[in-house]
């Protein structure tokens, strides 16, 4: 669909693209094809798409053989997508609602699924946090999001972009920026560059309990990233236990949030939990 066709369709649906809903529709067919190619979809794979919009990516996911579940908040787009793609012979279902509020364990069940989407900028971070907290998070992600956010997801320990989201994600996935995308391939163009990001599973993902504990510690540490993590964690654990844990893992008590690697957050969480229970 070119820009004129997209504008005609949006007008017919009475939609003026909303910045609040991150409604920046992808226009470039080559880029859409490349996104699907890079995701390497196998026929029958279960795919979760967030924000199908007018279906530019959806139609390609289906053409590649995907079994697609899409979540769209805008009821006018949801109705259009449902009418266009939800036929008895198409492996497609549309959920109208907020991607940050779905129960993905109930929606997707226990079988593996992938997440491939041009995420709305407005909710990419809460969506990723929400879905990673489920019992069965996606086996991998191929998502288009703000470049700034992609930098945070893929940040190295000790850099300014490294934060609690980086740590949470790194407990389950390895993030790679596949390509950086300029604003002019969208309508309307966003104010910033975007990036297509691949999140692949790591070989030793954190268990749900380890993930929960380490996320809590990282959140506490990054809440005041200029202060020493040891001191900040006294809000949760006694000084005695903290001292034992830092010594056992070989961590300097003068370290700040950005100096601890995701592996060290995991080790610290496990050790503190063990010490607190004994
Ligand atoms: N997939 C389309 C494309 O690539 O052209 C549209 C992508 S557009 C960046 C984001 C889409 O997400 C819009 O259709 C918007 O209505 C929808 N959206 C915004 N917030 C949402 C939310 N919280 N839950 C689900 N969908 C949302």
């Amino acid at each position: 669909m070119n820009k004129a066709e997209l504008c005609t369709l949006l007008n017919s649906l009475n939609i003026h693209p909303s910045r609040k809903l991150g409604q920046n529709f992808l226009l470039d067919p080559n880029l859409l094809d490349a996104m699907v190619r890079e995701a390497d979809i196998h026929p029958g794979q279960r795919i979760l798409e967030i924000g199908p919009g007018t279906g530019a990516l959806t139609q390609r996911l289906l053409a590649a053989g995907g079994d697609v579940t899409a979540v769209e908040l805008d009821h006018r787009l949801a109705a259009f997508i449902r009418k266009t793609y939800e036929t008895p012979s198409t492996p497609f279902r549309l959920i109208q609602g907020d991607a940050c509020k779905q129960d993905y364990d109930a929606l997707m069940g226990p079988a593996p699924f992938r997440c491939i989407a041009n995420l709305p900028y407005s909710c990419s971070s809460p969506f990723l946090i929400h879905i990673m907290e489920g019992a069965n998070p996606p086996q991998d992600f191929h998502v288009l999001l703000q470049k700034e956010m992609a930098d945070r997801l893929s940040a190295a320990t000790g850099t300014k972009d490294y934060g609690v989201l980086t740590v949470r994600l790194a407990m389950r996935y390895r993030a790679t920026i596949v390509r950086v995308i300029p604003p002019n391939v969208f309508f309307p163009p966003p104010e910033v560059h975007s990036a297509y990001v691949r999140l692949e599973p790591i070989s030793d993902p954190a268990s749900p309990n380890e993930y929960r504990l380490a996320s809590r510690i990282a959140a506490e540490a990054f809440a005041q990233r200029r202060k020493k993590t040891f001191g900040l964690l006294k809000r949760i654990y006694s000084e005695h236990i903290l001292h034992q844990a830092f010594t056992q893992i070989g961590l300097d008590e003068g370290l700040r949030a950005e100096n601890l690697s995701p592996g060290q957050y995991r080790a610290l969480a496990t050790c503190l939990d063990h010490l607190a229970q004994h």
Side-chain angles (χ1 to χ4, degrees):
M1 201 180 295
N2 61 31
K3 186 173 161 189
E5 289 163 343
L6 175 66
C7 288
T8 305
L9 174 60
L10 293 176
N11 279 339
S12 74
L13 298 172
N14 199 21
I15 291 177
H16 304 284
S18 151
R19 182 201 276 241
K20 194 167 150 235
L21 289 185
Q23 289 181 330
N24 304 101
F25 301 94
L26 256 180
L27 288 172
D28 186 338
N30 296 326
L31 177 61
L32 284 155
D33 289 342
M35 284 169 61
V36 174
R37 212 168 38 244
E38 277 150 6
D40 189 23
I41 296 162
H42 296 195
Q45 276 183 337
R46 302 167 70 236
I47 295 169
L48 172 68
E49 184 192 4
I50 302 303
T54 59
L57 184 58
T58 318
Q59 70 180 81
R60 287 168 170 83
L61 297 175
L62 289 169
D67 176 336
V68 179
T69 298
V71 182
E72 172 59 58
L73 182 56
D74 187 317
H75 67 93
R76 298 156 301 182
L77 289 169
F80 170 75
I81 286 283
R82 204 167 256 153
K83 196 172 79 195
T84 312
Y85 296 104
E86 238 179 25
T87 71
S89 57
T90 311
F92 178 77
R93 62 180 168 154
L94 188 280
I95 312 297
Q96 198 252 310
D98 186 341
C100 302
K101 295 192 179 146
Q102 300 302 311
D103 177 349
Y104 290 103
D105 291 333
L107 187 63
M108 301 307 289
F113 67 99
R114 310 179 67 194
C115 177
I116 305 175
N118 173 11
L119 289 179
Y121 287 175
S122 41
C123 81
S124 0
S125 173
F127 163 71
L128 287 174
I129 290 171
H130 174 61
I131 198 164
M132 279 193 298
E133 275 165 4
N136 180 34
Q139 62 187 105
D140 66 355
F141 292 81
H142 279 76
V143 283
L144 189 53
L145 28 76
Q146 270 181 309
K147 167 76 168 52
E148 184 201 317
M149 166 110 179
D151 289 337
R152 281 166 55 206
L153 297 183
S154 57
T157 306
T159 61
K160 74 168 174 32
D161 289 325
Y162 184 67
V164 66
L165 189 58
T166 326
V167 174
R168 284 181 160 198
L169 196 107
M171 287 193 268
R172 297 238 167 99
Y173 304 96
R174 181 177 27 260
T176 311
I177 296 181
V178 180
R179 55 172 73 211
V180 175
I181 294 162
N184 64 358
V185 297
F186 298 90
F187 176 79
E191 278 157 17
V192 293
H193 275 65
S194 304
Y196 193 42
V197 174
R198 180 173 64 228
L199 302 179
E200 296 162 282
I202 57 172
S203 55
D204 61 336
S207 68
N209 193 43
E210 188 183 4
Y211 177 84
R212 190 180 53 77
L213 294 168
S215 297
R216 182 166 178 224
I217 287 177
E220 200 67 51
F222 278 102
Q224 297 181 72
R225 59 191 292 157
R226 293 279 136 244
K227 293 200 175 162
K228 292 175 187 162
T229 297
F230 186 92
L232 292 170
L233 294 184
K234 283 189 208 162
R235 287 165 55 114
I236 316 179
Y237 297 98
S238 72
E239 186 162 351
H240 173 65
I241 284 186
L242 283 168
H243 184 66
Q244 274 186 285
F246 272 65
T247 307
Q248 276 185 27
I249 303 167
L251 288 179
D252 185 328
E253 293 180 9
L255 291 177
R256 293 176 169 76
E258 66 196 28
N259 306 123
L260 273 79
S261 69
Q264 288 172 324
Y265 276 106
R266 287 175 65 174
L268 188 57
T270 307
C271 188
L272 284 168
D273 190 43
H274 180 77
L275 290 169
Q277 287 185 31
H278 291 88

